[in-house]
Amino acid sequence: MLNIVLFGPPGAGKGTQSERLIEKYGLVHLSTGDVFRANIKGETQLGLLAKSYMDAGKLVPDEVTINMLRSEVIKYDSPKGFIFDGFPRTNAQAEALDAFLGELQTSITLMVGLEVEEAELKQRLLKRAEFSGRPDDADPAIIEKRIHVYNEETAPVKSFYEAQNKFVAIDGIGSIDEITQRLFAAVDKNI
Ligand code: ADP
């Protein structure tokens, strides 16, 4: 299997680039943010819980997120691989993912990290708010909080994969196509 973690701060372009990667490599796209938003829309219990954290720019608790991710992964019968978008976001999630994939006799192939500086991220998120309808994009204070949470809790996950020689940094500035080409090159080199 080809299992890719697409990593990067909020607004780095993970969703956009995921679309390109799943198309080229035939992967299943698992975005924890998308699953939470679908649950919010469907007014499920999980959605109700997730919403309180998401609207505040905080992470949904690890246990809830990990269980949700597991139940998504096992929905697929012999997939070619997964692209994990927005997961893992903490070291505890990364450890749980390794253990879980181990049970399925597979592992993470590569983490690709999109690197974009803070000022650009803030601009992109405010721009996205104009059409995304996401309350967490519309408020500069919440954006600030998400970037802070990213720096504190999520950025360290990079070291987790660096220690396994699985991390590749990708310059996330440029046209969407240019960035896609950088990602393809990084993936092709590692499969
Ligand atoms: P972005 O990366 O642009 O912030 P996402 O759609 O990936 O957007 O995530 C939106 C929100 O969903 C996060 O701010 C967080 O509240 C919640 N979320 C998504 N993935 C996770 C995760 N792995 N762990 C905890 N919370 C998560």
Side-chain angles (χ1 to χ4, degrees):
M1 279 172 78
L2 171 60
N3 296 310
I4 299 174
V5 175
L6 188 52
F7 191 67
K14 300 186 293 290
T16 309
Q17 296 298 338
S18 287
E19 296 304 320
R20 307 287 185 94
L21 289 165
I22 56 169
E23 201 179 302
K24 175 156 164 96
Y25 299 102
L27 306 174
V28 174
H29 181 206
L30 283 187
S31 157
T32 40
D34 285 353
V35 178
F36 286 137
R37 279 185 290 276
N39 275 277
I40 292 173
K41 215 170 159 201
E43 299 181 346
T44 68
Q45 223 177 342
L46 173 65
L48 212 66
L49 177 98
K51 185 172 166 50
S52 59
Y53 293 95
M54 290 168 77
D55 286 354
K58 296 178 183 166
L59 294 183
V60 178
D62 280 338
E63 204 196 323
V64 176
T65 307
I66 291 164
N67 286 335
M68 187 273 279
L69 196 274
R70 267 175 208 273
S71 57
E72 287 298 315
V73 168
I74 60 172
K75 279 185 188 167
Y76 298 89
D77 193 25
S78 30
K80 273 199 190 166
F82 290 97
I83 175 145
F84 296 101
D85 164 4
F87 186 93
R89 259 175 152 101
T90 63
N91 274 331
Q93 291 180 12
E95 278 162 25
L97 182 63
D98 263 15
F100 176 51
L101 292 180
E103 284 165 29
L104 302 176
Q105 321 288 337
T106 186
S107 59
I108 291 298
T109 314
L110 186 68
M111 172 190 259
V112 279
L114 289 172
E115 303 198 324
V116 177
E117 75 268 3
E118 237 171 84
E120 169 80 13
L121 294 174
K122 289 177 186 165
Q123 271 183 13
R124 288 188 190 180
L125 290 169
L126 285 170
K127 185 106 196 86
R128 184 168 80 184
E130 292 169 16
F131 57 88
S132 71
R134 281 177 54 170
D136 60 341
D137 284 346
D139 179 344
I142 301 296
I143 290 178
E144 200 70 60
K145 171 78 181 165
R146 284 158 65 202
I147 293 174
H148 177 76
V149 168
Y150 174 82
N151 289 331
E152 293 294 308
E153 297 182 54
T154 304
V157 178
K158 174 177 154 179
S159 314
F160 182 91
Y161 290 96
E162 267 174 343
Q164 300 183 17
N165 281 321
K166 289 181 177 174
F167 178 80
V168 179
I170 304 288
D171 180 2
I173 301 283
S175 74
I176 292 177
D177 284 345
E178 278 164 1
I179 298 162
T180 303
Q181 290 313 316
R182 290 174 201 150
L183 285 166
F184 286 174
V187 173
D188 289 342
K189 226 162 99 182
N190 283 277
I191 54 176

